Amino acid sequence: MMIRSTILSLFALAACSGSAPASAPADPAGPAHPVAVELFTSQGCSSCPPADALMEKLAAGPDVVAITRPVTYWDELGWKDTLARPANTELQHAYAARKIPGAGVYTPQTVVQGRTGFVGSSEGKIRGEIVRQSHAAEPGLAISGGAVRLSGSGRGQLWVAAVRKTVTVRIGSGENGGRKIRYANVLVGETRIGEWKGGSAEIAVPTAAMRVAGADRYVLLLRDGPAGPILAARYL
């Protein structure tokens, strides 16, 4: 669904004027683990470059599994995003439909662990949520010999996301016309490789999921449903 610039501005204004409700506090005694951070951005959005730069910083750290997800709904406003994917737009709409804290369809939006959304340039809030989610309980997960071993209670879908570590784009027109912007861990493809129904299980990672054209890094995501909370995330 296309969203006009006026609606986008209202979403962004609402996001900027109020802070996202805090998620339930994680157990500070739990062991730390990597946290998935997804950025919904657009080359046509003049508010996005600070969030894009923050995502590059977050992606360089060991505590974050980063995915940049360029969206399509700015494409009719002067510049068609060269990296945008309809699936990214659909996922952001699904997060909004779930009414996660900080929900909405706007750019830039950062979603931590598929659970909480923030204006994408809100570094302090985002880093605070990363710390909280890094101590939340997660299923047992180990990667060995081309397979993923899972254990514990719960259920979920296992996905492999293919990304490009760094992409630099010279933008020809629109709000960012004339700028050259660098993006980190840009999604180029995503494959569901299996279902986990709880308990001990081993799921093989298909060779094709690790040979996506243009990708030079791969991310493993265990989700509670196709657009649900992320239960665990790792780089492959």
Side-chain angles (χ1 to χ4, degrees):
M1 177 177 68
M2 284 293 181
I3 300 177
R4 296 285 177 181
S5 57
T6 52
I7 300 176
L8 284 167
S9 298
L10 288 173
F11 270 124
L13 197 59
C16 290
S17 61
S19 45
S23 59
D27 178 6
H33 55 73
V35 171
V37 177
E38 300 167 291
L39 172 64
F40 296 93
T41 185
S42 174
Q43 295 167 16
C45 162
S46 61
S47 300
C48 287
D52 301 322
L54 173 58
M55 190 62 161
E56 188 173 21
K57 288 200 299 183
L58 294 175
D63 56 339
V64 169
V65 176
I67 303 177
T68 294
R69 294 183 176 272
V71 296
T72 57
Y73 47 78
W74 279 89
D75 285 0
E76 64 178 23
L77 303 175
W79 175 257
K80 185 172 182 179
D81 193 301
T82 60
L83 304 172
R85 297 171 57 85
N88 294 334
T89 305
E90 292 165 9
L91 177 61
Q92 191 182 34
H93 275 274
Y95 281 158
R98 277 180 47 219
K99 295 181 169 38
I100 65 171
V105 180
Y106 60 88
T107 57
Q109 184 192 45
T110 293
V111 176
V112 180
Q113 206 75 343
R115 299 172 187 271
T116 310
F118 302 89
V119 174
S121 55
S122 302
E123 183 169 0
K125 294 177 182 178
I126 292 167
R127 288 191 182 276
E129 185 65 13
I130 289 168
V131 171
R132 284 189 289 273
Q133 292 294 339
S134 73
H135 292 282
E138 70 168 13
L141 187 153
I143 303 167
S144 177
V148 181
R149 297 190 180 97
L150 297 164
S151 60
S153 60
R155 57 190 301 124
Q157 298 176 347
L158 200 60
W159 294 77
V160 172
V163 303
R164 291 174 64 183
K165 290 181 184 178
T166 305
V167 185
T168 301
V169 178
R170 188 179 295 277
I171 298 171
S173 59
E175 291 188 2
N176 289 314
R179 300 185 68 170
K180 189 165 67 173
I181 300 176
R182 190 166 59 240
Y183 300 91
N185 284 8
V186 178
L187 185 77
V188 297
E190 205 161 11
T191 306
R192 190 173 72 180
I193 65 170
E195 301 277 340
W196 176 58
K197 298 181 179 179
S200 297
E202 183 173 298
I203 298 173
V205 179
T207 301
M210 300 288 291
R211 292 182 178 174
V212 176
D216 54 10
R217 182 177 238 178
Y218 294 87
V219 172
L220 185 73
L221 297 174
L222 179 64
R223 276 193 189 274
D224 183 6
I230 294 172
L231 306 177
R234 300 287 190 275
Y235 287 120
L236 285 167

